[in-house]
Amino acid sequence: MLPEIRRAYEDDGVVVIPSVFEDFECDRIKEEAYKVTDLEIQESGYKHVPSEQAYNKKSLIFFPALANQYLNSVRIDKRLQNIVRDLLGNHVRQINNQIYFREAGDQDTFAWHRDTIFRESHLFSSGLETDYLQTIIAVDDITEENGAVEFITGSHFWD
């Protein structure tokens, strides 16, 4: 990993690494995401509610990689593994796998939050602050019209 990427991650708590996946791969991720059904996720053994709805549309799927081989191959892709390994080391596990559908005009919103509030601290070996890494694969441009995701640099230092 380039030293400037690691430095940005440590200093800002956020780093954008463009073009990890190519456009055709992002198109395929999106295509496969729309195919996954709640029934497939449930039949794969997932014991919780597999998706959420907002404004009569699916807005969030939990663990779609359990039900879709292509999405699973993305989840374990060496490019992602190398990024995670470079930032956290070799001893990692995935505790979450989700797809958010953020479409222009869908009116679906999320309140400002830190994702760490949804994580159980007993799952981490030392501290949530140093053991947790959130990754996002944006398959579309992030714009105000499609519900921009915003990151606040330095917020990883906040109590």
Side-chain angles (χ1 to χ4, degrees), residues 22-87:
E22 295 186 40
D23 288 347
F24 76 91
E25 293 173 298
C26 291
D27 291 343
R28 175 87 187 271
I29 291 169
K30 188 174 181 177
E31 177 185 326
E32 296 294 330
Y34 279 105
K35 291 181 185 177
V36 175
T37 68
D38 287 0
L39 181 59
E40 290 172 322
I41 295 171
Q42 289 169 328
E43 287 176 347
S44 73
Y46 187 66
K47 296 175 176 36
H48 307 287
V49 177
S51 72
E52 293 180 2
Q53 305 284 321
Y55 299 93
N56 298 317
K57 292 172 64 176
K58 188 176 288 188
S59 63
L60 170 62
I61 304 175
F62 297 98
F63 279 94
L66 292 173
N68 183 288
Q69 189 163 349
Y70 183 77
L71 296 176
N72 190 54
S73 73
V74 172
R75 179 186 73 83
I76 61 173
D77 188 280
K78 291 290 185 197
R79 292 167 287 184
L80 283 179
Q81 287 185 31
N82 290 336
I83 292 167
V84 172
R85 186 176 294 113
D86 285 349
L87 293 172

